[in-house]
């Protein structure tokens, strides 16, 4: 479960402590031999040649190790046998010197991937994974700045259009009004997303008291309705998911170009843009899912380094991961899938660390403590967050409202004006946890009882194929400036087909690559073992976010696929990095080609996301299938 390792020429160019101990008169010869072996792509898969090159480096440096001492180091777990696991000769040399191959990485390092030739300096920053999130000294800062800027542009452009109630804004705008008026209401989803919407409206205009009814789709917003504020928070958090996606891929060890592709897929997906710039709560769910996955990988990276376990960074990632998971579940119960995924991630990693230390006959007390702390807090923190948000919900809704009829008399007894004068409740008052339990049961039963079909519903197995979108809004009476037929203006939820089909293809492709490794790469290289680990985890997390919809009898929609789509994006980057690990230029060209294709798809289908007017013939060209109508 360890991340793929990368080493630096600093090991042999005078930057590392091992080389600094070499006499100056012998350093140049050692450097020349090592650099030559790197250019030739020497690898431990040819153990005789690799061992010979290592011995030449040692002899040139005036350092020799007997075979017995090397075997002793292997037995003690200081180094791993390069022949038995296919470890690169370069990493073997670095570890033999007592140095972590990734220890001295810096923005100016010349990086060498395992089993790969030297990468030209012009492209090495793009294709070599550096285990840092963002540094102003390398290309990451420029890329993150550009991606974030474009994210805010794509999410906030024409945010005021249409200035009418769109699709489920008719529900969530009304829920925000209830919070502002403190009137009790009932909804099948937890309260966090609606609380954020109400907070945004109150901060924008403290005098707004929720007097717009949100009765019907296509009702026009008048001047006193803060609908831009209500749309602001979903769009704002949606923009932040673009850099967070980039950081997540980097935390996983993905190359810079592959990480850029992941973030670009989030940036250019027309479905995410359409859904996340309206008065809806799916943007909040997606944001907390991405943040939870990022924190999970940040925590894993800290826990994999014995010197960083229980450090400030360790606790920060752990607490942030628990809070993010709790917030995701507090927006929609489907956020519980990320709780299961993050929990499984650290359960397996913790057991792997314990097994590794036990096999090496080392003290495992700290590993057990780390395992218990991670699993314990990742289970407790989300529950505490969920309870705290429910407490805010009950405190805010203190008056009688439209949701009274869903609750028992004992529940309604605490609501001002709920019970009429001739109806009094004489039983004991409900405690907070009793009220929360009653609300939870009512939410579950009501959600399960929604069986009426919806004209824009779609089955779970159609989502990866982007087979069925959702009609949100239709413009009317838009004149054609050329005097032809009226223009078609339609807000239609449809994923960028280029992105959705590519990421869906990455899932079976990952299985084929894994099968190839099982058949032809025994013993496995570190790259293959790392790919198996990351791809398996991503596949399980993908399935955790889509399989719960299989037994669901109620209407399901395309936007339910968004969390699973994020894991498909990460799988795409993982597969590309592994397939082109020895061909960095091919990786860069492939990712750039896919990025260009995604950009074209965004341009071609963005008219649906923004509701831009089109001539009927141009609109029809974009409707490739009858199911998109």
């Amino acid at each position: 479960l360890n991340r793929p390792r990368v080493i630096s020429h600093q090991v042999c160019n005078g930057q590392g402590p091992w080389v600094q101990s070499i006499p100056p008169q012998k350093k140049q010869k050692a450097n020349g031999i090592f650099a030559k072996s790197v250019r030739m792509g020497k690898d431990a898969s040819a153990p005789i040649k690799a061992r010979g090159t290592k011995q030449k480096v040692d002899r040139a440096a005036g350092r020799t190790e007997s075979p017995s001492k090397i075997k002793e180091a292997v037995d003690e777990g200081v180094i791993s046998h390069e022949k038995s696991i296919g470890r690169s000769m370069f990493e073997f040399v670095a570890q033999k010197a007592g140095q972590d191959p990734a220890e001295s990485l810096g923005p100016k390092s010349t990086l060498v991937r395992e089993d790969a030739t030297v990468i030209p300096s012009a492209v090495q920053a793009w294709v070599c994974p550096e285990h840092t999130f963002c540094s102003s000294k390398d290309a990451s800062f420029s890329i993150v700045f550009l991606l974030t800027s474009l994210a805010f542009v794509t999410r906030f452009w024409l945010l005021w259009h249409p200035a009418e109630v769109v699709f489920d804004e008719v529900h969530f705008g009304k829920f925000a009004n209830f919070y502002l008026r403190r009137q009790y209401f009932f909804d099948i989803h937890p309260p966090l997303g609606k609380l954020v919407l109400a907070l945004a409206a109150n901060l924008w205009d403290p005098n707004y008291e929720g007097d717009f009814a949100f009765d019907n789709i296509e009702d026009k917003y008048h001047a006193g309705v803060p609908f831009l504020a209500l749309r602001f928070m979903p769009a704002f958090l949606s923009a932040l998911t673009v850099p967070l996606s980039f950081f997540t891929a980097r935390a996983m060890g993905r190359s810079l170009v592959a990480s850029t592709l992941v973030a670009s897929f989030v940036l250019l997906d027309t479905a995410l843009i359409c859904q996340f710039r309206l008065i809806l709560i799916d943007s909040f769910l997606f944001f907390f899912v991405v943040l939870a996955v990022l924190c999970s990988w940040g925590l894993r990276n800290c826990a994999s380094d014995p010197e960083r376990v229980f450090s400030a960074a360790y606790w920060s990632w752990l607490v942030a991961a628990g809070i993010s998971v709790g917030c995701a579940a507090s927006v929609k119960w489907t956020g519980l899938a990320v709780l299961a995924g993050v929990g499984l991630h650290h359960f397996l990693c913790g057991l792997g660390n314990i097994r590794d230390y036990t096999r090496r006959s080392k003290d495992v007390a700290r590993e057990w403590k780390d395992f218990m702390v991670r699993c314990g807090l990742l289970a407790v923190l989300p529950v505490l967050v969920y309870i705290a948000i429910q407490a805010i919900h009950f405190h805010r809704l203190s008056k009688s409202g439209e949701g009274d009829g869903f609750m028992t008399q004992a529940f309604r007894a605490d609501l001002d004006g709920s019970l009429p004068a001739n109806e009094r409740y004489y039983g004991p008052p409900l405690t907070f946890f009793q009220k929360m339990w009653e609300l939870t049961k009512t939410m579950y039963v009501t959600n399960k009882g929604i069986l009426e079909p919806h004209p824009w519903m779609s089955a779970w197995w159609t989502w990866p194929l982007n087979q069925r979108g959702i009609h949100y809004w239709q413009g009317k009476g838009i004149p054609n400036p050329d005097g032809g037929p009226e223009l078609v203006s339609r807000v239609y939820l449809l994923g960028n087909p280029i992105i959705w089909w590519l990421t869906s293809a990455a899932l079976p492709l990952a299985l084929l690559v894994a099968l190839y490794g099982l058949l032809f790469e025994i013993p496995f290289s570190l790259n293959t073992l790392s790919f198996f680990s990351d791809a398996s985890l991503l596949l399980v997390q993908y399935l955790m976010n889509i399989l719960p919809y299989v037994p669901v009898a109620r209407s399901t929609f395309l936007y339910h696929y968004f969390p699973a789509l994020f894991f498909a994006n990460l799988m795409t980057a993982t597969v590309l990095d592994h397939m082109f690990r020895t061909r960095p230029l091919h990786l860069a060209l492939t990712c750039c080609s896919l990025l260009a294709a995604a950009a074209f798809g965004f341009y071609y289908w963005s008219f649906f996301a923004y509701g831009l007017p089109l001539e009927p013939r141009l609109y029809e060209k974009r409707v490739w299938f009858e199911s998109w109508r």
Side-chain angles (χ1 to χ4, degrees):
L1 291 173
N2 289 331
R3 294 174 295 160
R5 297 221 173 191
V6 195
I7 69 170
S8 168
H9 279 284
Q10 290 177 341
V11 174
C12 60
N13 68 1
Q15 300 296 322
W18 177 51
V19 179
Q20 291 174 358
S21 66
I22 300 177
Q25 65 271 21
K26 297 183 178 182
K27 185 183 299 183
Q28 183 176 3
K29 185 176 180 181
N31 286 343
I33 295 174
F34 194 93
K36 181 179 179 181
S37 67
V38 173
R39 288 195 300 270
M40 295 175 61
K42 297 284 186 179
D43 180 71
S45 59
I48 296 178
K49 294 181 180 179
R51 189 177 299 111
T53 304
K54 176 182 68 63
Q55 291 171 353
K56 289 179 182 179
V57 174
D58 284 341
R59 286 197 299 271
R63 300 169 58 93
T64 58
E65 293 286 357
S66 64
S68 61
K69 289 186 178 181
I70 295 177
K71 183 177 184 302
E72 181 181 351
V74 173
D75 294 339
E76 291 178 356
V78 177
I79 57 176
S80 299
H81 198 291
E82 74 278 19
K83 180 178 179 181
S84 62
I85 64 173
R87 179 165 301 210
S88 167
M89 180 272 295
F90 315 119
E91 183 174 351
F92 178 83
V93 171
Q95 287 201 351
K96 175 177 167 295
Q99 182 177 3
D100 186 349
E103 180 178 319
S104 59
L105 288 178
K108 296 183 180 179
S109 302
T110 303
L111 302 175
V112 183
R113 293 171 67 91
E114 291 184 12
D115 310 330
T117 56
V118 170
I119 301 171
S121 58
V123 295
Q124 65 182 6
W126 278 86
V127 297
C128 293
E130 303 169 37
H131 301 301
T132 56
F133 291 151
C134 184
S135 171
S136 59
K137 297 181 180 179
D138 61 19
S140 296
F141 179 83
S142 301
I143 293 172
V144 170
F145 180 79
L146 177 61
L147 289 172
T148 305
S149 301
L150 292 175
F152 277 93
V153 171
T154 56
R155 270 58 179 178
F156 283 90
W157 186 56
L158 293 178
L159 188 64
W160 57 87
H161 175 73
E164 300 177 3
V165 178
V166 178
F167 195 59
D168 277 352
E169 287 187 342
V170 73
H171 299 303
F172 294 103
K174 189 178 299 183
F175 296 153
N177 285 346
F178 288 140
Y179 276 120
L180 295 174
R181 298 197 297 259
R182 306 182 69 94
Q183 295 176 343
Y184 186 80
F185 69 94
F186 174 79
D187 182 38
I188 60 174
H189 300 301
L192 178 58
K194 293 158 290 189
L195 281 169
V196 174
L197 292 175
L199 176 63
N202 184 255
L203 292 176
W204 181 280
D205 183 4
N207 296 321
Y208 176 69
E209 298 180 353
D211 52 0
F212 185 78
F214 287 95
D215 284 334
N216 304 295
I217 298 176
E218 299 182 2
D219 283 352
K220 294 186 181 299
Y221 292 123
H222 56 72
V225 182
F227 75 99
L228 285 178
L230 291 168
R231 290 178 179 176
F232 173 87
M233 286 305 298
F236 178 77
L237 293 184
S238 173
L240 294 182
T241 59
V242 174
L244 290 180
S245 301
F246 177 87
F247 294 146
T248 302
R250 295 294 277 165
M252 292 180 62
R254 301 288 74 83
S255 64
L256 187 58
V257 65
S259 301
T260 303
L261 186 67
V262 171
S264 299
F265 279 1
V266 177
L267 168 70
L268 300 172
D269 193 342
T270 50
L272 300 183
I273 293 174
C274 179
Q275 185 78 6
F276 295 167
R277 56 197 306 276
L278 300 173
I279 308 173
L280 306 172
I281 62 174
D282 298 275
S283 173
F284 307 137
L285 173 64
F286 192 78
F287 171 82
F288 288 118
V289 167
V290 175
L291 183 60
V293 176
L294 169 61
C295 295
S296 177
W297 280 95
L299 176 60
R300 170 177 169 175
N301 294 340
C302 284
S304 64
D305 183 354
E307 297 182 358
R308 299 177 67 192
V309 175
F310 304 129
S311 64
Y314 172 95
W315 290 110
S316 299
W317 286 121
L318 177 56
V319 172
I323 293 176
S324 301
V325 170
C327 289
S330 298
V331 175
K332 284 188 174 183
W333 280 349
T334 52
L336 292 173
V338 75
L339 171 62
V342 169
L344 177 65
H345 186 182
H346 290 280
F347 179 81
L348 295 177
C349 288
L351 289 183
N353 290 341
I354 293 171
R355 183 189 62 180
D356 188 50
Y357 274 68
T358 303
R359 179 173 56 83
R360 296 183 180 184
S361 301
K362 294 186 176 182
D363 183 14
V364 298
R366 183 175 60 179
E367 297 304 318
W368 272 109
K369 183 179 179 181
D370 166 50
F371 176 76
M372 298 301 293
V373 167
R374 277 196 278 172
C375 293
L377 286 184
L378 287 176
V380 172
L381 282 177
V383 175
L384 295 179
V385 170
Y386 187 87
I387 292 174
I389 293 173
Q390 290 284 1
I392 297 173
H393 171 74
F394 289 135
H395 174 75
R396 184 65 191 175
L397 301 181
S398 59
K399 300 179 181 179
S400 174
E402 293 185 1
D404 293 5
F406 289 90
M407 317 310 296
T408 63
Q409 186 185 45
F411 187 100
R412 292 184 284 116
D414 292 334
L415 299 176
D416 295 341
S418 176
L419 299 180
N422 60 349
E423 181 182 353
R424 305 182 66 179
Y425 176 70
Y426 296 98
L430 296 184
T431 65
F432 167 75
F433 288 102
Q434 287 176 325
K435 294 175 66 176
M436 190 173 70
W437 177 244
E438 179 178 332
L439 176 61
T440 301
K441 289 192 301 181
T442 307
M443 290 166 58
Y444 174 78
V445 172
T446 305
N447 194 358
K448 190 176 180 181
I450 303 176
L451 302 178
E452 183 179 355
H454 192 281
W456 297 101
M457 62 186 292
S458 56
W460 65 270
W461 54 268
T462 66
W463 299 337
L465 302 177
N466 200 24
Q467 185 173 331
R468 178 67 166 168
I470 309 175
H471 174 69
Y472 276 1
W473 175 84
Q474 178 76 49
K476 300 176 181 178
I478 303 177
N480 191 329
D482 297 331
E486 289 185 351
L487 299 182
V488 178
S489 179
R490 187 183 188 193
V491 175
Y492 186 80
L493 181 73
L494 182 71
N496 185 330
I498 307 298
I499 296 175
W500 285 51
W501 294 339
L502 283 173
T503 55
S504 297
L507 300 171
L509 182 59
L511 297 177
L512 292 177
V513 172
L515 180 62
Y516 177 88
L518 290 173
L519 294 178
F520 302 106
E521 294 187 25
I522 298 178
F524 299 129
S525 67
L526 284 183
N527 275 318
T528 302
L529 290 174
S530 177
F531 172 75
F532 282 169
S533 170
D534 292 351
S536 299
L537 178 64
L538 290 174
L539 180 60
V540 170
Q541 291 177 322
Y542 174 86
L543 295 176
M544 283 180 172
N545 281 274
I546 193 172
L547 290 184
Y549 292 99
V550 175
V552 172
R554 59 157 291 185
S555 300
T556 54
F557 301 91
L558 187 66
Y559 53 74
H560 290 140
Y561 181 66
F562 290 165
L565 177 66
F566 177 65
F567 293 103
N569 288 347
L570 294 175
M571 179 71 84
T572 303
T574 301
V575 171
L576 291 175
D577 261 352
H578 181 71
M579 290 179 60
F580 297 104
R581 64 189 182 278
T582 61
R583 296 180 293 276
L585 292 178
H586 290 74
L587 173 63
L589 291 174
T590 300
C591 289
C592 290
S593 300
L594 296 180
L595 176 56
F600 170 78
F602 166 77
Y603 165 75
Y604 197 70
W605 282 283
S606 62
F607 293 86
F608 292 171
Y610 296 109
L612 299 176
L614 277 172
E615 293 184 6
R617 62 180 182 84
L618 296 178
Y619 179 86
E620 291 298 325
K621 286 184 178 181
R622 288 162 170 78
V623 181
W624 285 7
F625 306 100
E626 284 297 321
S627 58
W628 288 4
R629 296 188 181 278

